[in-house]
């Protein structure tokens, strides 16, 4: 079964939290964020080796799709890099599909564990009060626009509560701490996670400053479908001839065509067996011409006016455990 993990990354070093301290944190987080849980979570302290064992069984289809689109170079190396990033940077996590527990990495300084618990506790509370927002995250991957957009709202809210809990006025996250290589996979992960945590915090904080918690709760109950919202641009769904098309979106396509992604107004992508096909719709023919020049040669593409049609192969990697045959 696919698992989705909501992680918290800490960029500075600040064992175990006592039951009394856990209870104090739970009370303060509920009060600070104006939301309460129905039942308290199980707090599980996990060794990093056990965390590694969990992650080694995780293989995403997103790597193969991103490779097919020419956004990364190698899906297997991408998966390995993503696991390494999580192992070295994450200090706590929450799996909404389990729903009843929060994991904290053992043998960390007390303040770092407290940061992790506060952040993941907010995700736990989100899951009980706004369960629908997690559906987009659980059912998709990081090449799906609605997953990135929903994740940004979830992380923005959790970061807001965490910073308020500790009395911090400025968002301190520095994603250079992830120590990702300067290649396509590293650039993709750095860009996407910087967006989810950084831009997510900005949009939630702006809504909080203007409307208070009422505005934040509206975002959580009506998560955006597209990352274009964060750029104050409209976006739509292009027509694709398959039963379950999804939108890749401006943010992911910016890793392929750069600033030209700002001129996208719709897209769709279909994955059917080993093949993919999709459409990118631009606001004008000029942008489509320039984007076509960047795309052609990397993936199969043809242009008609302001629309680029793409197609190609999604490679299957049978060395990835837990995946069935040729099903991407």
């Amino acid at each position: 079964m696919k698992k989705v993990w909501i992680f918290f990354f800490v960029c500075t070093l600040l064992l175990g939290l006592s039951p009394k301290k856990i209870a104090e944190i739970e009370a303060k987080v509920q009060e600070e964020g104006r939301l309460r849980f129905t039942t308290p979570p199980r707090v599980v302290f996990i060794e990093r080796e056990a965390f590694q064992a969990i992650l080694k069984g995780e293989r995403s289809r997103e790597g193969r799709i991103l490779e097919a689109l020419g956004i990364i170079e190698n899906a297997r190396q991408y998966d390995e890099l993503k696991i390494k990033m999580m192992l070295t940077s994450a200090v706590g996590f929450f799996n909404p599909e389990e729903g009843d527990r929060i994991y904290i990495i053992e043998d960390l300084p007390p303040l770092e564990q407290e940061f992790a618990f506060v952040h993941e506790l907010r995700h736990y509370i989100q899951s009980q009060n706004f369960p629908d927002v997690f559906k987009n995250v659980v059912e998709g991957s990081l090449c799906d626009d609605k997953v990135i957009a929903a994740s940004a709202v979830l992380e923005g809210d959790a970061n807001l509560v965490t910073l308020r809990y500790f009395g911090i006025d400025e968002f301190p996250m520095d994603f250079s701490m992830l120590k990702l290589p300067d290649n396509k996979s590293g650039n993709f992960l750095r860009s996407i996670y910087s967006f989810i945590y950084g831009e997510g915090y900005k949009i939630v904080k702006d809504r909080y400053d203007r409307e208070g918690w009422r505005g934040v709760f509206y975002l959580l109950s009506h998560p955006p479908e597209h990352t274009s919202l964060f750029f104050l641009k409209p976006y739509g769904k292009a027509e694709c001839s398959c039963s379950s098309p999804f939108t890749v979106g401006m943010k992911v396509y910016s890793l392929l065509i750069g600033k030209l992604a700002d001129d996208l107004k719709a897209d769709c992508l279909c994955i059917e067996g080993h093949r993919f096909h999709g459409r990118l719709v631009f606001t004008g023919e000029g942008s489509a011409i320039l984007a076509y020049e960047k795309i052609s040669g990397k993936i199969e593409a043809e242009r008609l006016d302001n629309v680029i049609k793409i197609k190609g192969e999604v490679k299957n990697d049978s060395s990835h455990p837990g995946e069935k045959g040729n099903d991407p």
Side-chain angles (χ1 to χ4, degrees):
M1 177 180 291
K2 175 185 173 184
K3 295 183 177 63
V4 176
W5 306 100
I6 305 296
F7 296 95
F8 180 50
F9 302 102
V10 176
C11 57
T12 56
L13 283 181
L14 305 174
L15 68 16
L17 301 172
S18 68
K20 180 181 178 181
K21 183 65 175 178
I22 288 173
E24 291 173 354
I25 294 171
E26 289 173 344
K28 186 175 179 180
V29 169
Q30 290 178 94
E31 178 62 28
E32 194 68 60
R34 299 298 188 270
L35 286 176
R36 299 191 176 278
F37 50 63
T38 54
T39 56
R42 290 176 55 196
V43 181
V44 179
F45 292 92
I46 185 172
E47 294 180 350
R48 201 166 289 273
E49 291 76 11
F51 181 30
Q52 182 176 16
I54 292 173
L55 291 177
K56 281 189 177 294
E58 296 293 312
R59 290 292 186 267
S60 64
R61 77 169 187 163
E62 72 195 34
R64 285 175 285 151
I65 296 174
L66 293 168
E67 180 184 344
L69 293 175
I71 293 173
I72 65 171
E73 292 171 334
N74 184 284
R76 189 173 184 182
Q77 291 177 358
Y78 168 83
D79 280 339
E80 292 172 352
L81 180 61
K82 189 176 179 182
I83 289 173
K84 181 179 179 181
M85 177 192 75
M86 292 174 179
L87 277 174
T88 57
S89 303
V91 294
F93 52 99
F94 166 67
N95 177 6
E97 292 187 294
E98 290 179 336
D100 65 342
R101 70 200 66 183
I102 291 171
Y103 293 90
I104 305 295
I105 304 298
E106 283 187 345
D107 299 326
L108 294 173
L111 187 55
E112 193 169 350
Q113 286 193 342
E114 187 173 355
F115 258 83
F117 182 51
V118 169
H119 187 95
E120 300 305 331
L121 179 60
R122 183 59 171 189
H123 285 314
Y124 176 84
I125 294 171
Q126 290 167 345
S127 73
Q128 295 195 348
N129 287 270
F130 304 99
D132 288 346
V133 71
F134 282 94
K135 290 181 180 179
N136 286 349
V137 177
V138 170
E139 295 172 358
S141 62
L142 289 182
C143 51
D144 189 331
D145 203 34
K146 68 181 179 182
V147 172
I148 299 172
S151 297
V153 171
L154 288 168
E155 295 300 346
D157 173 66
N159 282 331
L160 176 61
V161 171
T162 302
L163 297 183
R164 287 178 59 84
Y165 176 98
F166 286 100
I168 300 173
D169 295 327
E170 299 294 330
F171 184 68
M173 193 66 68
D174 176 9
F175 281 84
S176 64
M177 61 89 187
L178 294 178
K179 298 179 181 178
L180 294 164
D182 190 20
N183 57 25
K184 287 186 175 181
S185 291
N187 291 337
F188 175 83
L189 289 168
R190 185 182 298 108
S191 178
I192 294 300
Y193 278 99
S194 294
F195 179 87
I196 288 173
Y197 283 84
E199 296 305 315
Y201 174 74
K202 288 179 183 177
I203 197 171
V204 171
K205 180 62 161 59
D206 177 68
R207 188 64 66 95
Y208 175 80
D209 289 342
R210 290 189 288 113
E211 303 175 22
W213 285 115
R214 177 175 60 87
V216 176
F217 298 160
Y218 181 86
L219 275 178
L220 288 167
S221 59
H222 301 81
E225 288 286 317
H226 304 293
T227 54
S228 62
L229 173 70
F230 297 80
F231 305 113
L232 303 178
K233 293 178 179 288
Y235 212 76
K237 183 178 291 185
E239 294 185 5
C240 268
S241 57
C242 67
S243 59
S244 300
F246 64 92
T247 299
V248 177
M250 292 174 64
K251 181 56 189 174
V252 172
Y253 273 127
S254 71
L255 276 295
L256 180 64
I257 59 176
K259 291 291 290 180
L260 292 169
D262 292 350
D263 294 330
L264 278 169
K265 66 176 184 179
D267 79 81
C268 64
L269 193 71
C270 294
I271 309 295
E272 297 177 318
H274 282 302
R275 304 293 298 175
F276 77 86
H277 60 90
R279 294 162 60 93
L280 288 75
V281 184
F282 290 84
T283 55
E285 186 175 356
S287 298
I289 291 172
L290 294 173
Y292 175 77
E293 292 174 354
K294 283 181 171 286
I295 290 173
S296 59
K298 297 178 182 177
I299 53 180
E300 296 180 59
E302 60 177 299
R303 184 188 64 82
L304 178 62
D305 298 329
N306 66 326
V307 177
I308 298 177
K309 296 181 180 180
I310 58 175
K311 62 181 179 179
E313 179 184 2
V314 179
K315 297 178 181 178
N316 182 62
D317 185 351
S318 60
S319 68
H320 283 184
E323 295 178 333
K324 295 182 179 180
N326 298 329
D327 180 12

